[in-house]
Every structure is written in structure tokens, then in C-alpha cells.
Amino acid sequence: MTVVLATSAHTYWAIAVSIGFGAAVIVAILLTLLLHFVGSIEKSVDGLLEIAGEVAANTACIPQLEATAPVLSLIVDEAVVQDGYMNALTDGYGAA
């Protein structure tokens, strides 16, 4: 025995509306998730922008470190001179 389904334009219309409604529900869910994720990203970016300002303030003087190397060379040269003076002062001290 075979069962023949009587399909009419009304049945096709109901199927199409059901599929469309299901698709609309899925799209609404996906849009809600998208808005949630965008909000989360926006909060993270706001936090990063605050921290970036603090990092910029902390690192603003780094270019001035380029001037340190020549000064250190002068300090080392002066330390050698002072060491020579101290050696000259202490030569023979305590030998008596």
C-alpha cells in the first residue's frame, strides 16, 4: 500500500514560512551573540587605551638614555683618575 501525500500550494507556503521563521530566529540569535562579543571587545579596548597612556608616560624618557653612554665614559675616566690619586695617597701607608 502506498501513501500519496496531498500537497497543495498552501502546504508549500507553510513549509516556506516555517523555514523562513527558523532562519530569522537563527539570524536573531547570531546578531545577539555578535552584539555581545562587540561589547566585550569594546570594553577590552577601552581598558587597553587607559593602560597605553600610562605606558606612554612611563616610557617618555627612554630617548634621553642615548645621552647616558658618553657620560658613563667620562665617569669611568674620572674613576680611573681618582683611583690613581687614592693609590698615590695610600702608597707606603701601614708599611712602618
Side-chain angles (χ1 to χ4, degrees), residues 1-87:
M1 175 185 203
T2 61
V3 177
V4 178
L5 296 176
T7 56
S8 64
H10 181 67
T11 305
Y12 289 130
W13 181 83
I15 292 171
V17 168
S18 299
I19 291 172
F21 180 74
V25 168
I26 291 171
V27 168
I29 291 170
L30 290 175
L31 283 175
T32 303
L33 286 172
L34 178 65
L35 289 175
H36 171 72
F37 291 138
V38 166
S40 175
I41 290 169
E42 187 175 3
K43 288 177 187 175
S44 296
V45 168
D46 289 341
L48 288 175
L49 288 176
E50 290 175 17
I51 293 172
E54 294 173 12
V55 170
N58 290 337
T59 59
C61 297
I62 288 178
Q64 295 174 352
L65 290 175
E66 292 178 2
T68 305
V71 173
L72 289 176
S73 176
L74 294 173
I75 291 171
V76 169
D77 292 343
E78 183 63 25
V80 170
V81 170
Q82 293 299 321
D83 186 51
Y85 290 151
M86 293 304 291
N87 287 337

